Amino acid sequence: MRPAALDPLFAPLTSLKGIGPKLERPFARLLGREAPRVVDLLFHLPSGFVDRRARPTLAEAIPDTDVTVEIRVDGHQPPPPGRRAPHRTYVSDATGDLVLVFFNMDATVLERMLPVGSTRWLCGRIALYDGMRQMAHPDRILDEAGLARLPPIEPVYPLVEGLAAGQVRRAMEAALARILDLAEMLPAQLVAAQGWPSFRQALHAVHKPQGLNDIAVTGLPWQRLAFEELLAHQLTLALTRAHQIEAGGRASRGDGALVERLRGTLPFRLTQAQEEAVRAIREDIAAEKRMLRLLQGDVGSGKTVVALMAAACVMETGRQAALMAPTEVLARQHQETIAPLAARAGIEVALLTGREKGRARQAILDRLRTGEIGLLMGTHALIQPDVAFKDLALAIVDEQHRFGVEQRLTLARKGAAADMLLMTATPIPRTLVLTLFGDMAISELREKPPGRQKIDTRSVSLDRLEDVVEAAGRAIAAGAQAYWICPLVEESDLSDLAAATDRHEALKARFGAAVDLVHGKMSGADKDAAMARFASGEARILVATTVVEVGVNVPNATLMVIEHAERFGLAQLHQLRGRVGRGEKASTCLLLYKAPLGETAKARLAMLRASEDGFAIAEEDLRLRGEGDVLGTRQSGFPGFALARLELHSALLPEARATAAALLARDEGLTSEDSAPLRALLYLHGRDAAMRFLAAG
Ligand code: ADP
Ligand code: MG
């Protein structure tokens, strides 16, 4: 089915020269895909760039900026034998001196790279150290010939442990060579009107920029790529929707008894917002039409309970529901929230993840097939082929953006015309909902359950770290617990890990064994064990990288410390903060920042202090991102999109939507010869699975 012209792009990454099985593993982690393909690498767009065009003299060089300087080598000073001092190399130009500093490097190698008396070009950052100019480990040491080959603007890519920047650059070079001239996939008129380059030119421009417009997220090349992805998304939405309407739905109309019993046994009253969501869902489920509804609400707004009520609606008619979460931790969390509530109402639920094995797993599958289990919760394990329901009528998907369309459809297809409820704790700004989700029905939980206290949010300079440590000490002495989130370090999760490990060591030295650590490199089981120790109160301070799951619920945790808060996006800070303020006790969130703050960072922290409304924060986040730092700080992509940055490309959305509608009006199934380029587009942007499913009925 795949157009042959795309074959070179879909070849395994290991087919590129220089990438063997050993490198495949780190690339798999980098690209978030088991067996990465050439196209996955090509769509790994830069997170920033270094402008190598700045060629100041030493006197002109601005400290802490990237510069390329021409110098003469004056002399070497290797460390005295047996000492761990660095190797120093003295260099100069007509305007001043510079000391190069190298740790753990062989003197003979350095003396060969930098012969005394020679002229060299150095790329790197100059720091002032006791009034002396110093450059530690220059990025590049070049002679004339090397300088001639130096790209004027060098893309910087996010990295993972085990991959060096040079390896990614070389692989990218090889991948770019694979792109053939494809037939134009977008309507020619549109491309001409927008002045967009071709697919091939666009990728070359972004990865090998000649000017800043080539690599800018808002520049024409990136815009074109983003538009392709948005169009593919819109086409998929429209195709799926048309198919669903065609396939029809099933009415699940019960007598309301189970829902009422559940409501009666809940230890709390549903909020107005929850009631409204339940009412809308119930109505959809009772209708002939197939439901496709998105339930949005901040962490802790009570989505899980709504999901349970929805499940009760279909169980009333003897049918079943499934709730799928993207991670083990989240699935278990659902189990913990739901199981006790369900037990009181006499609802049979079960949990199925990769960890249920052998006989235990078989028992669940048996009870599922007989219909004994009314609600099955779990992870991707739910969509394994041998998981069969007696009669699945409702598929609920939590953190929906973390699943592909085909995974969601696979779950739904375990039932006949099953209704679908998608949930997300990442509120999507109103301005984007319609264009992103088309006419999907939306329920919002804007109101928090009662009894929640406002979280006292403050920003604190990192200079006052010691005070913050004291505050953490007071909190745990008073019986509370604290999260300590470590910074996102640019470019490498290895350094994230180092930062968290260091903080963990420092806090442990102070507070002893009560301090625990959780990070992304730990196995699922170890992560869960650490979370469990924290949830049980055995650990009092949990140092974590941002892996702490969004939904994690530890009501006794009342202090959230976020280091280098200025490096996080607004929405992300809000999500992190949402892990406290879950019990009756007042909670505090301390945003540690490194002074001085830029304007955007200042506005972000101020917004966070002022509001706890995830929807309002999402709107503001979108506005701030659209305004500021086009490149420079790490931009986390928008959920589900590899190329499009919605904060910067949202202006393209109406056009993508209109184009999709026009194309489908011409050829509703995209099956004609004329639509071949569009089918290629769907393949290229990983949206082909939806089509395959549609074809299969
Ligand atoms: P979400 O899934 O949106 O993150 P949950 O459904 O897990 O939120 O709810 C968070 C906590 O609040 C749970 O412990 C849940 O039992 C409780 N909760 C939910 N709804 C209410 C309510 N109306 N009143 C009081 N507590 C509630
Ligand atoms: Mg939840």
Side-chain angles (χ1 to χ4, degrees), residues 268-271 274 297-305 334 337 341 449-450 452 553 582:
F268 45 72
R269 278 184 55 163
L270 293 183
T271 63
Q274 285 171 316
D298 266 339
V299 170
S301 61
K303 295 184 295 296
T304 311
V305 179
H334 285 312
T337 307
L341 302 177
R452 303 275 159 82
N553 192 20
R582 305 179 136 246

Side-chain angles (χ1 to χ4, degrees), residues 465-484:
L465 181 65
E466 190 45 41
D467 296 345
V468 175
V469 173
E470 292 291 335
R474 281 195 303 276
I476 62 171
Q481 287 169 278
Y483 290 100
W484 192 298

Side-chain angles (χ1 to χ4, degrees), residues 484-550:
W484 192 298
I485 306 295
C486 281
L488 213 56
V489 178
E490 191 79 12
E491 305 308 333
S492 146
D493 49 50
L494 179 59
S495 1
D496 280 13
L497 179 57
T501 320
D502 285 355
R503 182 61 63 216
H504 175 234
E505 287 304 319
L507 290 173
K508 218 166 68 177
R510 183 78 163 261
F511 301 119
V515 187
D516 215 332
L517 173 68
V518 61
H519 59 72
K521 292 274 155 28
M522 288 162 65
S523 72
D526 286 350
K527 251 188 268 179
D528 287 357
M531 290 308 308
R533 282 194 298 274
F534 189 61
S536 74
E538 185 187 332
R540 313 302 299 179
I541 299 182
L542 184 64
V543 178
T545 53
T546 44
V547 298
V548 190
E549 287 299 340
V550 166

Side-chain angles (χ1 to χ4, degrees), residues 136-419:
H137 291 262
D139 297 344
R140 299 284 177 96
I141 299 173
L142 304 164
D143 54 17
E144 272 312 319
L147 182 74
R149 286 193 305 269
L150 185 72
I153 297 169
E154 198 166 44
V156 172
Y157 298 96
L159 294 176
V160 296
E161 185 180 359
L163 268 189
Q167 290 170 311
V168 174
R169 264 199 303 271
R170 275 190 297 279
M172 197 65 82
E173 197 61 55
L176 283 170
R178 285 288 176 89
I179 315 176
L180 306 174
D181 272 317
L182 301 175
E184 180 56 74
M185 295 173 287
L186 300 175
Q189 253 177 322
L190 180 66
V191 174
Q194 301 278 359
W196 284 335
S198 72
F199 172 73
R200 178 185 185 173
Q201 288 166 340
L203 278 175
H204 273 268
V206 169
H207 291 298
K208 297 178 77 173
Q210 299 300 310
L212 293 185
N213 275 331
D214 284 350
I215 196 173
V217 181
T218 47
L220 291 176
W222 200 316
Q223 247 187 46
R224 181 212 153 95
L225 298 171
F227 184 83
E228 282 184 14
E229 190 177 36
L230 293 173
L231 179 62
H233 177 72
Q234 291 295 332
L235 287 170
T236 312
L237 268 183
L239 284 168
T240 319
R241 172 52 54 92
H243 173 74
Q244 272 185 328
I245 290 171
E246 208 172 296
R250 247 186 345 153
S252 297
R253 206 172 291 134
D255 59 4
L258 183 60
V259 173
E260 283 321 308
R261 186 158 90 227
L262 177 60
R263 194 197 303 277
T265 53
L266 287 178
F268 45 72
R269 278 184 55 163
L270 293 183
T271 63
Q272 193 93 50
Q274 285 171 316
E275 285 291 2
E276 174 50 31
V278 170
R279 191 200 56 73
I281 292 167
R282 193 175 169 70
E283 208 164 88
D284 282 358
I285 286 176
E288 286 294 342
K289 207 175 96 189
R290 192 187 295 197
M291 171 168 84
L292 182 59
R293 181 172 285 274
L294 180 68
L295 176 61
Q296 300 200 67
D298 266 339
V299 170
S301 61
K303 295 184 295 296
T304 311
V305 179
V306 173
L308 175 60
M309 292 289 281
C313 292
V314 300
M315 274 183 254
E316 255 173 30
T317 63
R319 296 175 181 162
Q320 294 163 294
L323 167 53
M324 180 163 74
T327 64
E328 182 88 32
V329 175
L330 284 177
R332 293 196 179 273
Q333 190 100 36
H334 285 312
Q335 152 92 350
E336 277 152 31
T337 307
I338 284 182
L341 302 177
R344 294 204 212 190
I347 292 175
E348 280 294 327
V349 301
L351 178 71
L352 184 68
T353 72
R355 276 203 265 145
E356 277 67 43
K357 292 204 178 81
R359 230 181 295 146
R361 179 168 186 277
Q362 195 51 50
I364 293 172
L365 295 188
D366 291 345
R367 285 167 60 223
L368 193 63
R369 210 165 278 139
T370 59
E372 196 184 319
I373 293 171
L375 169 62
L376 182 65
M377 299 169 276
T379 54
H380 294 85
L382 297 191
I383 52 178
Q384 287 162 349
D386 62 337
V387 176
F389 292 77
K390 176 161 178 258
D391 185 4
L392 178 71
L394 174 64
I396 309 171
V397 181
D398 192 17
E399 293 301 310
Q400 54 93 17
H401 57 266
R402 294 174 66 178
F403 291 96
V405 178
E406 77 272 24
Q407 291 172 318
R408 301 195 310 232
L409 289 177
T410 307
L411 181 64
R413 285 160 61 89
K414 289 191 178 282
D419 284 322

